[in-house]
Structures are given as C-alpha cells and as structure tokens.
Amino acid sequence: MCQHQTQCPSAESADRESARLVAHHPEQGWSLLCNGVVLFEDTGELLPDGRAIAPHRPLASQVMTAA
C-alpha cells in the first residue's frame, strides 16, 4: 500500500502511528495514514482489517508536568 522510500510501518506494526499522513481532517477528529490506519484525535485507531484499537492517551496521573 505504501509507496514511500523507505516504506512506512505496516498497520500490524507496533509503530504504525509513525506512517505518513494521506488525509487529515481535524474538524472531524481523524486522519488517514498511508498504511490504511485511521487515527482519531482521542488516540483510538481503526485498522484496515476493521479492528478497533482503544484510545491510549496517558492517564492524567501519568502526565509529567514541568516544575
């Protein structure tokens, strides 16, 4: 699917979110990556095979703040 040199990570890869953007719709809250993954602004994902990945934002207690 990806035509980039070097190829972007596949949808099954752990680093799939680092693939390049094909379409970006911030007003609707989603982006399409070149590996076919739909990435939502809440960090949820929809994979090309139809599987949904739950949002994985860090919990507020896990976020570091500057001193």
Side-chain angles (χ1 to χ4, degrees):
M1 188 176 207
C2 176
Q3 301 296 319
H4 298 114
Q5 293 297 337
T6 63
Q7 281 197 329
C8 293
S10 72
E12 292 77 33
S13 177
D15 62 344
R16 64 181 156 256
E17 294 176 17
S18 63
R20 293 189 189 182
L21 285 174
V22 174
H24 182 58
H25 294 277
E27 72 284 359
Q28 296 176 357
W30 63 273
S31 299
L32 175 64
L33 304 179
C34 74
N35 56 8
V37 173
V38 177
L39 182 62
F40 296 98
E41 70 178 15
D42 69 354
T43 68
E45 300 171 18
L46 183 61
L47 302 183
D49 64 6
R51 287 183 291 151
I53 306 296
H56 45 277
R57 279 188 180 157
L59 298 174
S61 62
Q62 295 173 332
V63 175
M64 309 242 344
T65 58

